[in-house]
Amino acid sequence: MMIKTIRIVSLACLLLGGCSSSPLTPQEQKYQQIKEAARVCSEEVKAHTMELSTEGQTADSIATTVDYDMGDGLPPRTVDSRSSPVLDNGTPGNAWTACMKRKDALVPELKI
């Protein structure tokens, strides 16, 4: 019975893509960090915009994405971005960009 259970678990691991994860490359690690910072900044822009709209100001925000160059001939990936006319001071994406800069996440790989 024990051997049958081990075989089933082993087969499940193979079918689901492996039980051990391979370590991330430095490029992938950096991308994941920037992607998370971008997600947080997008949520912050959205939240601040919603706060202003509840205070009676006309405010909305637009969700977009920004390309991230993975280098080494790899296809570009994307990260979340958000613009808010009421927060951006005339430059679309300005509030998001400022947030990314505060998080040291405004890197050259982002194609803004």
Side-chain angles (χ1 to χ4, degrees):
M1 185 65 153
M2 179 65 105
I3 292 180
K4 187 175 183 178
T5 302
I6 291 172
R7 285 184 187 165
I8 291 171
V9 170
S10 297
L11 182 59
C13 286
L14 289 172
L15 292 175
L16 296 174
C19 286
S20 64
S21 60
S22 39
L24 297 177
T25 65
Q27 292 166 306
E28 184 65 26
Q29 287 176 345
K30 185 175 183 180
Y31 169 72
Q32 292 298 330
Q33 291 170 343
I34 300 304
K35 181 180 176 182
E36 178 61 15
R39 184 193 65 75
V40 169
C41 286
S42 294
E43 290 300 316
E44 286 181 16
V45 169
K46 181 180 178 180
H48 291 311
T49 302
M50 289 175 65
E51 287 172 15
L52 291 172
S53 68
T54 61
E55 293 173 5
Q57 293 188 33
T58 301
D60 61 354
S61 65
I62 301 133
T64 58
T65 59
V66 172
D67 281 344
Y68 181 93
D69 183 6
M70 293 295 288
D72 292 337
L74 296 170
R77 309 272 284 281
T78 59
V79 298
D80 293 340
S81 176
R82 189 170 285 274
S83 62
S84 170
V86 72
L87 297 176
D88 288 339
N89 298 319
T91 305
N94 192 45
W96 179 85
T97 302
C99 176
M100 291 291 284
K101 191 172 186 174
R102 284 191 307 274
K103 295 182 179 306
D104 291 325
L106 199 55
V107 295
E109 291 88 350
L110 289 171
K111 302 306 172 195
I112 301 173

